[in-house]
Amino acid sequence: MPVFPLGAHVDDDGARFAVASTSADAVELCLVDGPDGDLSERRVALTERTFGVWHGYVDGVAPGQRYGYRVHGPYRPRDGVRANPAKILVDPYARRVLGRVTDLEAARGWTDDPMTGPPCPRDSLGHVPLSVVTGPDPAGPGPRPDVPWSETVVAEVHVRGYTMRHPEVPPEHRGTYLGLAHPAVVAHLCRLGVTAVELLPVAAIADEPPLLERGRTNFWGYATLGFLAPHPGYASVPGAEIEEFRTMVAALHAAGIEVILDFVPNHTAEGGVGGTTLSYRGLDAPAYYALGGDGHDADITGTGNTLDAGSPTVIRLVCDAMRHWVTVMGVDGFRIDLASVLGRPRSGAFDPHAPLLTAIAVDPVLSRVKLIAEPWDATGEGYRVGGFGVAWSEWNGRYRDAVRDFWRGHGSIGEVASRLTGSSDLYRLSGRRPWASINFVTAHDGFTLRDMLSYEHKHNEANGEDNRDGTDDNRSQNFGEEGETASPVRAARRLATARAVLGTLLLSTGTPMLLGGDELWRTQGGNNNAYCLDDETSWVDWTHRDGALAAFTARVAAIRRSSPALHRDRFYRDGDVLWWHPAGRRLDGADWHDGHLRTLGLQRGEWLMLLHAGSDAVAATLPPDGPYTPELDSTRVDGEPVSRRPLPGGTTITLPPRSLLLLRIP
């Protein structure tokens, strides 16, 4: 009987089951039936064991059958081995996962103390999620957009949060895969020039123990239980998550929009040793988790556990899961959460050529899709912006920090200049292109654009953690008043700065990533870590969907799209870029070290971009050549310059506070 593939696979007569566990003495397959509250199970011993995989065939099993595993074996917490047959376990390769944790104590594998107490004898059946047998994988996706990296514009969105309040989406589809596929939502993304949506995690989610104890949920979804299963909570019809996810992908593809998944192969929803036993910990903790010498989980993710990127079991699971999302579900790429963890086998030192990173990069399927690394983890060793291999693009945190600093009047001109032109200092030497820099100013983690310009301090009280969670390094400004304002002048200044920031992002060299909802002037009330708030705090308000800021964003994106010079595929050579002082001369060595210089001119191809981050207006003299035709003015609500009359070289103009002006050179 074949060992692979792992998981449950049906044919006309029944189903074959296979699950990996090198530490088990015996594994039972549990077929679960009956209504919630009165479940029954039939246990079938898997007697075949090959390559550390327990497997067997069961007649009469059909799609829709609920199941799990019970593992018999040693329970030695200080060795990291925690087999407990009282706990029914989700199949790591399940294509569908059903249910949630309803009783935390029943879901825990220990009694009294996770290191010294005995195993918990309470049966977890009926209190934890179950796996569900699915039919044969459907046919692969149709044609893909295959948007070149240099033409890619990403929008980071949350399936539920982005569509929950959209008035044109039918109520039954809001917050679902079908909601994101709705023509009104797709049309809005197209209008913005978005070519790829980067979805916050959609693999099956389970709330972690601290959230369960507080009665909260993991809204963002960085708590994976099933790596191959779409999250059932985003289906409009229970049990239809696979079909609805594929429908969403097809609708976005038809509009020329790619689908990138925020994928989380660095930890699981089980938490640390004091957490739950839902799957991996009970199956074979030493094969899945990086462990300390005393049996505790190593934690370089800040979540309580860390998947061991050096384990063959983990490498196989991650690559198999990613291939499934591409070949069956139709996705076009991945943003790997805390990707530095994948380069740290056994939570050791970072190696860009570590086994899991290499396995992904050379895989014949995965090497052909977009791969984005979040190049840090929860430790100093993990901060590796610019340190990944040639197959990877990266979230560029240095771009975020430099642009935020510039527009609040901090930081050096030299740092922001490097970020505006593709961050060649980070990516050229490794053989990558400018688009390897995923440029962003705001993301799900942190302030929204509106809050970045309205708050100087986080306001996370609603999370229930006494405002201790979330970063204190916000690099934000409030224009003299914390929070919302009734002052028309202050409100106008914030919006004008927002337009300058969006213009900077979309006109920089590299791959721009918008935070979905920023174009709608969305606020979270100053919460910079709304990970557990499934309410209006996190849901995008579409009241201003036809508003001026969305129109401005669309205008800038169209300008970017129209000119190869603004989405360049290669790094600039000497002489390709000219930097101008507001006095109308080239910047010299002393200028780059002038801590008071807040005005910068960037000339690329047929474009001159002037950026002024000062709080007062400044006179700026145009370079000697010309003429220069204004094309975009961030001080105008719609971006349309007051006049398109060409300006001769040497003309002195006034740049208002915190403004961006884009001019075309014939």
Side-chain angles (χ1 to χ4, degrees):
M1 179 178 294
V3 179
F4 301 108
L6 299 182
H9 298 271
V10 297
D11 57 27
D12 292 339
D13 301 315
R16 185 177 59 80
F17 295 86
V19 63
S21 178
T22 57
S23 62
D25 293 334
V27 175
E28 291 177 313
L29 167 69
C30 304
L31 302 174
V32 179
D33 294 297
D36 292 343
D38 189 25
L39 297 177
S40 63
E41 63 175 311
R42 175 166 66 99
R43 300 187 185 185
V44 179
L46 297 181
T47 57
E48 297 289 335
R49 185 182 186 188
T50 312
F51 309 134
V53 175
W54 299 81
H55 55 107
Y57 186 90
V58 182
D59 292 326
V61 173
Q65 173 69 58
R66 290 166 290 172
Y67 73 100
Y69 293 105
R70 296 186 187 270
V71 171
H72 300 260
Y75 186 85
R76 297 193 303 271
R78 295 203 178 277
D79 294 329
V81 184
R82 298 171 179 272
N84 184 345
K87 308 304 168 183
I88 190 165
L89 308 175
V90 166
D91 182 354
Y93 278 75
R95 265 64 167 174
R96 274 191 63 202
V97 174
L98 177 68
R100 56 188 299 271
V101 176
T102 58
D103 186 326
L104 181 56
E105 293 306 314
R108 284 177 165 145
W110 50 273
T111 301
D112 297 330
D113 183 276
M115 298 304 297
T116 61
C120 173
R122 284 191 61 190
D123 197 317
S124 65
L125 179 62
H127 306 294
V128 296
L130 293 169
S131 316
V132 182
V133 176
T134 59
D137 288 336
R144 299 173 180 270
D146 286 330
V147 179
W149 260 120
S150 61
E151 299 174 16
T152 296
V153 176
V154 179
E156 188 194 36
V157 301
H158 187 287
V159 169
R160 180 170 170 83
Y162 199 63
T163 64
M164 274 297 293
R165 302 176 70 184
H166 198 299
E168 296 176 57
V169 174
E172 65 271 19
H173 289 167
R174 293 174 190 168
T176 72
Y177 302 119
L178 296 185
L180 194 58
H182 190 274
V185 178
V186 175
H188 176 79
L189 293 169
C190 290
R191 179 191 178 204
L192 295 178
V194 169
T195 69
V197 289
E198 183 176 298
L199 304 181
L200 267 70
V202 297
I205 301 159
D207 300 320
E208 304 102 309
L211 289 173
L212 291 166
E213 290 172 340
R214 303 204 314 269
R216 302 287 181 134
T217 62
N218 192 317
F219 176 72
W220 283 354
Y222 292 92
T224 305
L225 178 60
F227 287 95
L228 284 77
H231 184 53
Y234 300 152
S236 65
V237 176
E241 55 266 30
I242 295 173
E243 295 80 6
E244 292 190 11
F245 185 93
R246 284 168 51 91
T247 297
M248 176 195 71
V249 171
L252 291 165
H253 281 181
I257 298 175
E258 296 180 313
V259 178
I260 296 171
L261 299 191
D262 196 331
F263 198 60
V264 193
N266 58 77
H267 73 281
T268 77
E270 292 184 313
V273 294
T276 52
T277 298
L278 303 178
S279 177
Y280 310 92
R281 178 166 290 120
L283 280 168
D284 194 355
Y288 284 104
Y289 293 126
L291 302 177
D294 58 356
H296 282 84
D297 291 291
D299 183 12
I300 62 173
T301 64
T303 67
N305 68 63
T306 303
L307 287 171
D308 183 5
S311 165
T313 301
V314 171
I315 294 171
R316 180 170 57 201
L317 171 63
V318 171
C319 291
D320 286 349
M322 292 175 69
R323 278 193 300 272
H324 177 77
W325 285 105
V326 174
T327 60
V328 176
M329 308 303 285
V331 308
D332 305 283
F334 301 89
R335 178 264 193 190
I336 302 297
D337 177 65
L338 301 184
S340 294
V341 172
L342 277 62
R344 301 180 63 182
R346 292 164 294 283
S347 298
F350 178 79
D351 178 2
H353 306 297
L356 182 48
L357 289 176
T358 299
I360 294 170
V362 302
D363 185 276
V365 171
L366 303 180
S367 62
R368 298 168 64 90
V369 302
K370 288 182 167 69
L371 297 174
I372 303 170
E374 183 185 31
W376 51 78
D377 56 33
T379 72
E381 167 66 21
Y383 191 80
R384 294 291 169 167
V385 174
F388 279 69
V390 293
W392 295 89
S393 295
E394 298 176 13
W395 268 29
N396 189 345
R398 288 184 60 180
Y399 179 96
R400 173 201 58 207
D401 294 346
V403 170
R404 284 191 174 205
D405 280 345
F406 176 79
W407 284 113
R408 67 189 184 109
H410 291 66
S412 72
I413 290 293
E415 175 68 7
V416 78
S418 295
R419 305 308 142 225
L420 295 176
T421 51
S423 296
S424 61
D425 57 327
L426 299 177
Y427 302 112
R428 187 201 298 268
L429 288 179
S430 62
R432 288 182 279 180
R433 305 278 186 90
W435 42 256
S437 176
I438 306 297
N439 298 333
F440 69 105
V441 181
T442 55
H444 70 277
D445 189 0
F447 283 148
T448 65
L449 179 61
R450 180 172 178 168
D451 290 355
M452 186 187 88
L453 301 172
S454 303
Y455 296 87
E456 291 188 357
H457 307 284
K458 66 187 182 185
H459 297 269
N460 298 356
E461 290 81 4
N463 297 355
E465 300 179 45
D466 298 321
N467 206 34
R468 295 188 304 269
D469 61 304
T471 183
D472 293 312
D473 182 18
N474 293 297
R475 305 183 189 225
S476 57
Q477 55 190 309
N478 66 11
F479 293 83
E481 181 181 357
E482 187 77 352
E484 296 302 303
T485 182
S487 165
V489 173
R490 187 170 287 117
R493 288 174 178 169
R494 290 174 176 178
L495 273 166
T497 307
R499 291 191 294 271
V501 170
L502 287 169
T504 303
L505 174 62
L506 287 164
L507 297 174
S508 295
T509 301
T511 301
M513 187 187 81
L514 301 162
L515 173 61
D518 274 355
E519 79 283 1
L520 303 172
W521 204 222
R522 170 176 170 254
T523 180
Q524 291 185 164
N527 194 314
N528 73 357
N529 188 40
Y531 75 104
C532 61
L533 300 181
D534 186 5
D535 58 25
E536 286 81 359
T537 306
S538 301
W539 302 343
V540 172
D541 182 356
W542 288 83
T543 303
H544 304 292
R545 61 190 181 280
D546 297 319
L549 192 59
F552 177 86
T553 306
R555 181 189 186 93
V556 183
I559 292 173
R560 174 189 176 89
R561 191 165 56 248
S562 71
S563 174
L566 298 177
H567 53 84
R568 187 178 169 97
D569 188 55
R570 306 275 179 171
F571 282 113
Y572 298 103
R573 297 169 296 183
D574 290 343
D576 288 342
V577 173
L578 301 179
W579 298 101
W580 295 99
H581 190 277
R585 60 173 174 80
R586 298 275 294 276
L587 289 180
D588 60 28
D591 295 325
W592 293 110
H593 301 285
D594 183 350
H596 301 288
L597 187 59
R598 296 287 174 255
T599 310
L600 184 65
L602 167 58
Q603 183 176 337
R604 295 167 292 169
E606 73 271 28
W607 299 99
L608 173 66
M609 184 166 65
L610 302 177
L611 304 99
H612 173 53
S615 56
D616 298 310
V618 68
T621 301
L622 297 177
D625 296 328
Y628 300 91
T629 302
E631 293 286 345
L632 181 75
D633 183 348
S634 71
T635 67
R636 307 281 292 173
V637 170
D638 60 0
E640 177 67 29
V642 174
S643 171
R644 286 179 176 266
R645 179 175 57 86
L647 302 172
T651 300
T652 297
I653 62 175
T654 299
L655 295 176
R658 296 184 178 86
S659 60
L660 179 152
L661 182 64
L662 182 69
L663 307 104
R664 188 188 293 269
I665 311 168

